[in-house]
Amino acid sequence: MRIGILAYHFPPEPAFIPGSLAEELAVRGHEVKVLTGFPDYPGGHVYPGWRQRWRHETRSERLTVRRVPRYCSGDGSIGGRMAGYLSFAGSATLTGRSFLADVDALYVHLPPANAFAAVGLLRLLGRVPTVVHVQDVWTEDEPVGAENGRWAGRIAAAMARTCRAAAGIAVAAPSLRDRVVAAGADPARVRVVLNWTDERIFHPARPSPAARRLVRRDDRCVVMHAGTIGARQGLETAVRAAAALDHTMDLVLVGSGADERRVRGLAAELRAENVRFVQRRSPLDMPDLYAAADYQLVMLRNLPELRSTLPAKLQAAFSCAAPVVASAGGDTADLVERARAGLSCPPEDWASLADRFWLAATIPPPARAEMGRRGREAYLREMSMPAGVDRIERLLHEAAGRGVGR
């Protein structure tokens, strides 16, 4: 097939799903064309060595990537992000008519950032059958205000319009299916396709002596959170829970983020000497650190929109055969419990999380390893790249075969 891909972010940005999908479809013999922007994530500034311009194109065997300009503010404001979304929509629409005119089917990677571009391109391409992969719903880490509310409504309307027009829909979390059906999508065209992780990096490993020295101080149970320390995670809950078990377990936070100062301040206020902070590490280092810890912590706040979210660290932990402690609701907790790959508790409830930490510390190492093994099996069965690409490829074939509206 000739397959088009519309992606707001694409490698070298940390946009693993559209990047690995494009490469794998090309390996499978398809001719793949990617329409995307110039790399600017997460800082909001175009990467060094790159210059925005029209008709920037790179080619490899069966894979062509066309980049178009978009507004990059770097200030993180709602207005700046909306300007980026709208400018990319305009650039993608102007370029898409000629660049994607000959594709048999179009795959749209659909986080909220891509909503306006998807609407414009689908209208322009008309009869080209489309498969959209819904990643998320509109969320904001900032307090909700009038401006945010207006844009959230517009983005939600654009995403709903795209889903109604699509020949096939993949959703990245089970409960997202209900959301897109409620928005008007045909239930018969919706499939769950869970995101995968970078399997070249995240796989079972044995801990090095250096990783053990970094993560462990003694034989106490170590629960590690690796990733962003931000508003979505609510890591204050984890600090309070760990502080209640000062002599039972250690909590190691690897990474950084907007809420790091606040979380560090709470740990100092509570005199939680069993809470330690480790600077952000390269993804290449993480399997080694995962193996040195006993559990990986997955945290999500108690927000309705996060019930339909599977954080990327969950797939990474499962792929590495690391048992999980999940302080989350919705799909994340359901998946951990269904796979029997760890422990879970309601979000933003430090007392319940402290109970899970205590239980995790009492579970003997062979039983922990068995949790990790079951998580690895669940990953290979439900989340792996071959499984995910198989499902998307099948949706693209079905879309191209029946066309829009059949």
Side-chain angles (χ1 to χ4, degrees):
M1 295 176 64
R2 296 184 300 274
I3 298 171
I5 292 179
L6 175 67
Y8 190 80
H9 295 297
F10 195 76
E13 295 171 293
F16 181 70
I17 298 302
S20 58
L21 175 66
E23 291 178 356
E24 181 64 17
L25 289 173
V27 166
R28 296 184 180 197
H30 303 288
E31 298 292 332
V32 181
K33 290 183 172 183
V34 178
L35 184 59
T36 188
F38 286 84
D40 69 352
Y41 183 83
H45 300 285
V46 175
Y47 286 12
W50 292 79
R51 179 174 59 85
Q52 296 207 73
R53 61 189 187 274
W54 293 99
R55 301 193 63 79
H56 181 283
E57 198 167 283
T58 56
R59 297 185 182 186
S60 56
E61 188 175 2
R62 297 193 179 93
L63 175 59
T64 302
V65 179
R66 171 73 67 85
R67 297 184 185 270
V68 296
R70 64 175 177 235
Y71 175 75
C72 302
S73 68
D75 63 6
S77 67
I78 294 172
R81 277 179 284 171
M82 293 309 114
Y85 299 170
L86 291 170
S87 63
F88 179 67
S91 296
T93 302
L94 284 172
T95 304
R97 180 190 293 275
S98 58
F99 181 63
L100 298 173
D102 62 343
V103 300
D104 299 312
L106 175 68
Y107 166 88
V108 177
H109 190 250
L110 195 63
N114 218 15
F116 299 131
V119 167
L121 201 57
L122 266 61
R123 184 190 300 117
L124 187 71
L125 295 177
R127 299 179 64 84
V128 174
T130 301
V131 171
V132 299
H133 197 173
V134 179
Q135 296 293 312
D136 204 351
V137 294
W138 174 257
T139 60
E140 265 305 322
D141 291 343
E142 303 298 329
V144 175
E147 182 184 8
N148 180 25
R150 286 194 297 270
W151 282 113
R154 293 171 186 172
I155 289 174
M159 294 186 75
R161 187 172 176 179
T162 301
C163 290
R164 287 194 296 268
I169 302 169
V171 292
S175 62
L176 281 178
R177 185 180 189 278
D178 297 335
R179 290 177 177 265
V180 300
V181 169
D186 181 353
R189 296 186 180 183
V190 183
R191 305 282 190 278
V192 176
V193 181
L194 303 180
N195 288 339
W196 51 92
T197 192
D198 190 338
E199 295 160 13
R200 297 167 297 184
I201 296 175
F202 293 101
H203 49 74
R206 296 183 64 85
S208 67
R212 284 186 173 275
R213 287 194 298 271
L214 185 65
V215 171
R216 311 192 72 92
R217 294 185 299 186
D218 49 34
D219 292 332
R220 281 190 293 184
C221 175
V222 174
V223 179
M224 175 189 292
H225 180 276
T228 302
I229 304 177
R232 277 189 167 197
Q233 289 73 37
L235 282 162
E236 295 94 334
T237 300
V239 170
R240 292 186 184 279
L245 299 167
D246 190 30
H247 301 292
T248 304
M249 53 79 66
D250 282 352
L251 174 65
V252 178
L253 306 179
V254 182
S256 61
D259 280 13
E260 181 180 355
R261 178 177 296 181
R262 183 186 307 164
V263 174
R264 283 180 177 270
L266 178 62
E269 177 186 334
L270 297 176
R271 298 182 180 179
E273 295 182 0
N274 61 332
V275 178
R276 290 181 286 120
F277 294 82
V278 175
Q279 290 183 341
R280 184 185 297 274
R281 289 295 195 273
S282 164
L284 296 173
D285 297 333
M286 295 317 300
D288 191 17
L289 297 183
Y290 281 11
D294 296 298
Y295 297 87
Q296 291 302 305
L297 177 63
V298 178
M299 298 282 297
L300 287 174
R301 288 182 58 205
N302 188 22
L303 299 173
E305 60 268 23
L306 296 184
R307 297 183 64 82
S308 302
T309 297
L310 292 176
K313 63 172 63 69
L314 182 65
Q315 285 92 330
F318 276 19
S319 186
C320 289
V324 170
V325 176
S327 173
D331 291 329
T332 296
D334 289 347
L335 187 54
V336 171
E337 292 294 333
R338 188 170 72 248
R340 296 189 299 135
L343 307 171
S344 70
C345 68
E348 298 193 78
D349 183 340
W350 73 263
S352 293
L353 183 56
D355 178 74
R356 297 294 90 179
F357 283 166
W358 178 85
L359 180 58
T362 65
I363 294 174
R368 299 174 191 171
E370 183 63 15
M371 288 179 178
R373 184 192 64 78
R374 291 194 292 263
R376 172 75 177 169
E377 287 183 350
Y379 176 83
L380 294 174
R381 183 175 61 250
E382 301 179 39
M383 305 176 183
S384 68
M385 186 177 74
V389 177
D390 282 349
R391 292 170 183 138
I392 290 173
E393 187 180 34
R394 192 176 306 120
L395 280 169
L396 288 165
H397 275 295
E398 291 174 358
R402 71 185 175 211
V404 177
R406 288 191 182 180

